[in-house]
Amino acid sequence: MKKILDTHLIQVVLSSYHTKATNLIRLIDNFICFVVFILVIILCNFFILGFFPFNAFLGAIYCCLGMFASTLALRLRISNAEKHFDGKKDIPKHKKKTIMKSIFFEYVCCVIIINIFCVTYMP
């Protein structure tokens, strides 16, 4: 009988992730997992207790999905920027900081817009 999950493969992937990922990428990944966990809790609440304030349910779902998508986009942009900067010594340090600040500023603006949308959706 074939194994469905190879434990050696999982160990190799996890060790590679821990050696190659920066602390910032790990922090963003943890936040993405947290948002998915909150989404699962909201869905369980919906199925167990019902959906009386349906607008609040939709607002919470939209907020979780919006945070998931925008945080995933933040992770992709930061990892691409880190790959671009990796190995290049001629890029000034202030330019790296400026690019990272602009990426984070765009993320914050997107999150503010998502939260305004979700708050106006609730009753």
Side-chain angles (χ1 to χ4, degrees):
M1 183 166 200
K2 267 185 162 179
K3 283 185 178 179
I4 295 175
L5 289 174
D6 188 14
T7 57
H8 179 68
L9 178 67
I10 294 172
Q11 290 174 351
V12 168
V13 168
L14 287 177
S15 66
S16 173
Y17 174 76
H18 286 296
T19 57
K20 292 182 181 178
T22 62
N23 288 336
L24 181 62
I25 295 294
R26 284 191 216 135
L27 179 69
I28 293 172
D29 289 341
N30 287 336
F31 185 69
I32 289 172
C33 291
F34 175 72
V35 169
V36 170
F37 178 70
I38 295 298
L39 180 64
V40 168
I41 288 175
I42 290 170
L43 289 174
C44 290
N45 186 23
F46 171 71
F47 289 122
I48 293 172
L49 300 177
F51 56 93
F52 171 63
F54 193 66
N55 286 349
F57 169 73
L58 286 179
I61 293 294
Y62 289 154
C63 187
C64 286
L65 291 177
M67 288 295 295
F68 176 79
S70 60
T71 308
L72 191 61
L74 173 73
R75 186 199 191 284
L76 291 174
R77 291 194 63 195
I78 286 179
S79 64
N80 285 339
E82 286 177 349
K83 284 180 187 176
H84 179 72
F85 294 145
D86 193 28
K88 294 187 179 179
K89 304 284 185 189
D90 57 344
I91 298 175
K93 195 171 188 176
H94 66 86
K95 186 172 182 176
K96 292 179 186 179
K97 284 184 179 182
T98 305
I99 291 173
M100 290 297 196
K101 283 181 183 180
S102 68
I103 290 172
F104 188 70
F105 179 73
E106 291 172 4
Y107 171 74
V108 168
C109 290
C110 183
V111 166
I112 289 172
I113 291 170
I114 289 169
N115 285 321
I116 288 172
F117 172 74
C118 293
V119 167
T120 57
Y121 220 102
M122 296 200 185

